């Protein structure tokens, strides 16, 4: 089959960097992040979180090719913070949201575990 192994979408090679940043040469307070081994799930969450920040002028992402596990995120700020600071802030906020969701899920599972009756076949 002409398809990469499934595990290759998640495992980063030892010599590769997960994230790289390149400042934009034409726009002030703008840059491009290249994030390896991520897809639309992370890209859309990150883009939406960046849009929550009032200092963000533009935030968008793209996947250059569907067979290549690489996401490109472009960020431009109004100058009150750098694109790197905006990205760090967005990732910290996402981490907090995921922890909140995980905690709520775990609490509901614990609360309802006694009500769970496995189906008998």
């Amino acid at each position: 089959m002409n398809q990469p192994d499934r595990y290759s979408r998640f495992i980063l090679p030892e010599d590769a960097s997960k994230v790289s940043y390149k400042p934009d040469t034409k726009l002030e307070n703008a840059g491009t992040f290249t994030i390896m081994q991520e897809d639309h799930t992370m890209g859309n969450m990150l883009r939406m979180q960046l849009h929550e920040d009032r200092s963000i002028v533009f935030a968008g992402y793209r996947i250059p090719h569907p067979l290549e596990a690489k996401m490109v995120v472009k960020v431009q700020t109004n100058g009150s913070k750098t694109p790197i600071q905006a990205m760090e802030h967005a990732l910290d906020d996402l981490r907090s949201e995921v922890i909140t969701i995980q905690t709520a899920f775990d609490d509901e599972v614990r609360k309802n575990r006694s009500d769970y009756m496995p189906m008998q076949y």
Side-chain angles (χ1 to χ4, degrees):
M1 186 183 324
N2 189 14
Q3 179 179 356
D5 293 326
R6 289 180 188 246
Y7 71 86
S8 68
R9 298 281 296 166
F10 305 105
I11 297 177
L12 194 64
E14 289 182 29
D15 60 339
S17 176
K18 178 74 173 174
V19 180
S20 63
Y21 175 74
K22 182 180 177 190
D24 197 307
T25 57
K26 297 178 182 176
L27 292 173
E28 195 171 321
N29 300 313
T32 303
F33 295 88
T34 302
I35 304 172
M36 302 302 294
Q37 306 307 104
E38 294 297 344
D39 59 7
H40 290 286
T41 303
M42 184 64 183
N44 196 40
M45 286 191 316
L46 188 54
R47 178 185 63 85
M48 293 303 293
Q49 193 64 48
L50 283 163
H51 282 225
E52 294 290 322
D53 190 339
R54 293 191 186 277
S55 68
I56 298 294
V57 175
F58 174 81
Y61 82 96
R62 68 185 179 94
I63 306 293
H65 192 279
L67 293 178
E68 197 176 345
K70 177 169 74 170
M71 175 177 61
V72 177
V73 181
K74 295 195 179 266
V75 178
Q76 181 181 7
T77 66
N78 61 10
S80 61
K81 60 172 87 167
T82 67
I84 293 173
Q85 291 169 330
M87 180 65 82
E88 288 172 346
H89 187 111
L91 290 170
D92 287 342
D93 288 349
L94 272 177
R95 185 178 299 115
S96 296
E97 285 185 31
V98 168
I99 289 170
T100 301
I101 292 168
Q102 182 180 9
T103 302
F105 179 81
D106 290 343
D107 291 345
E108 285 298 314
V109 167
R110 269 193 296 283
K111 185 170 77 174
N112 294 313
R113 185 169 283 163
S114 61
D115 298 339
Y116 174 71
M117 296 289 291
M119 294 188 71
Q120 300 291 325
Y121 293 101

